[in-house]
Amino acid sequence: MQTDIDPRSLIGRKAFDRQGAKIGTVDEVYLDDATGVPEWAAVRTGLFSRDAFVPLEPSEFVDGALLIPFDRTLIKDAPDFGVGRHLSPEQELQLYRHYGLDSSPSAEAGPDRDFGRLAGQEE
C-alpha cells in the first residue's frame, strides 16, 4: 500500500474484496510501532457484525476505497481480537498466518513489545 497516505484518511472508507464485493467500512488503522507504517485495518463488516482485521500490504487504496486482495470469506473468518487496543505479537502472527503472508520482521522482535498502535494515538 502507498506509505504516503495519512492512515486517518482511511477511516470511514469502503473496503472491497478481490472480486469487488463490498466487505464493509474501515473502522481503525493500526501502525507498526517500530516503523510507524500503517500495517492493519479493522473493517466493520456489518451493522451488527464484528471488525475483521485486514493487512494493508498488499491491499491498495484506489479511488477513495480500500481494495483487499483476498476473498470475502477469508476476510470475515479472520481472528477477532476486538478493536481499540494494541495487537500483541502473537495476535499479529496469527493474522499473518491466516492470510498466508510472511510474518513481519518486527513481529519477531520479542514478546514485551507493543504492536499495532492505533493511528492518531499519542504514546
Side-chain angles (χ1 to χ4, degrees):
M1 193 177 111
Q2 293 172 257
T3 56
D4 61 338
I5 294 175
D6 180 352
R8 291 171 290 204
S9 69
L10 291 172
I11 296 171
R13 302 298 181 135
K14 303 294 181 213
F16 298 88
D17 74 358
R18 72 194 292 132
Q19 279 83 31
K22 182 181 171 199
I23 299 297
T25 304
V26 177
D27 220 6
E28 295 181 347
V29 175
Y30 292 78
L31 308 178
D32 181 275
D33 281 344
T35 65
V37 173
E39 193 164 9
W40 299 96
V43 175
R44 173 69 55 186
T45 59
L47 185 59
F48 298 106
S49 299
R50 64 181 183 86
D51 283 78
F53 286 90
V54 298
L56 291 175
E57 179 64 41
S59 298
E60 295 180 272
F61 189 61
V62 178
D63 296 329
L66 183 64
L67 307 180
I68 307 160
F70 297 100
D71 290 325
R72 173 186 208 104
T73 303
L74 183 68
I75 294 167
K76 289 194 172 201
D77 287 344
D80 183 7
F81 303 121
V83 294
R85 56 188 170 183
H86 280 78
L87 291 174
S88 73
E90 293 79 17
Q91 290 170 328
E92 196 169 15
L93 285 173
Q94 276 185 272
L95 288 169
Y96 276 108
R97 286 186 196 118
H98 176 77
Y99 287 105
L101 301 170
D102 289 332
S103 65
S104 164
S106 62
E108 299 168 7
D112 56 341
R113 281 201 48 202
D114 285 329
F115 289 84
R117 179 170 48 92
L118 280 169
Q121 286 189 343
E122 298 300 319
E123 294 191 36

